[in-house]
Amino acid sequence: MKILHKSSCITCKRAISEIERMKIDIEKRDFFKEPLSEGELKKIIKMTGKKPSELLRKKDKMFKELDLENGKKTDSQIIKLMAKYPGLILRPIVIAGNKAFVGKIDSKNFK
């Protein structure tokens, strides 16, 4: 299992400790220190079964600065912005097999 996170993010820390409590082997990657490529983002988005716009952090200051609330950007434009500004990406991202879970995570998904 992999978790993509930001080391200072409280939600990420909670998810990591929850998974560690379940004694599941976990590979961690801080995507602020090791940014995700557009290709990686596309794969992850596909694994979630959601649209790129559903994986945006609406509280991030870049969300407003880039005027993302108007919904006028294409999926590929959104993915490019997510790669450039990792703060836009909802976190944490947990990859378990061929599924990806984003944001506040329900540990029942990993049993």
Side-chain angles (χ1 to χ4, degrees):
M1 183 179 298
K2 275 186 191 168
I3 186 161
L4 308 171
H5 67 100
K6 179 180 184 182
S7 42
S8 62
C9 168
I10 303 293
T11 308
C12 296
K13 288 177 184 174
R14 277 194 202 120
I16 290 168
S17 59
E18 178 80 16
I19 293 166
E20 286 172 342
R21 260 199 306 277
M22 295 166 71
K23 305 277 187 260
I24 295 173
D25 276 340
I26 184 171
E27 181 188 320
K28 294 177 246 181
R29 173 174 168 189
D30 182 332
F31 64 85
F32 282 73
K33 292 182 179 132
E34 273 182 77
L36 296 163
S37 69
E38 286 179 41
E40 287 174 304
L41 281 165
K42 283 179 186 156
K43 269 191 213 148
I44 291 164
I45 291 164
K46 196 175 209 158
M47 290 165 87
T48 66
K50 296 180 179 194
K51 292 167 129 59
S53 59
E54 293 177 82
L55 303 187
L56 290 172
R57 280 185 69 240
K58 290 163 181 58
K59 291 179 186 155
D60 192 79
K61 68 177 174 56
M62 290 309 295
F63 185 81
K64 281 192 174 57
E65 281 179 33
L66 296 164
D67 196 25
L68 291 169
E69 60 251 75
N70 72 17
K72 290 189 176 135
K73 300 258 188 285
T74 64
D75 286 355
S76 68
Q77 286 172 319
I78 290 171
I79 291 167
K80 276 185 186 2
L81 290 169
M82 290 165 97
K84 189 172 181 181
Y85 305 106
L88 286 172
I89 304 168
L90 205 53
R91 56 184 185 257
I93 300 169
V94 175
I95 299 171
N98 61 355
K99 287 241 181 265
F101 305 92
V102 182
K104 286 194 173 101
I105 286 159
D106 186 345
S107 56
K108 290 182 204 86
N109 293 324
F110 313 127
K111 292 187 173 155

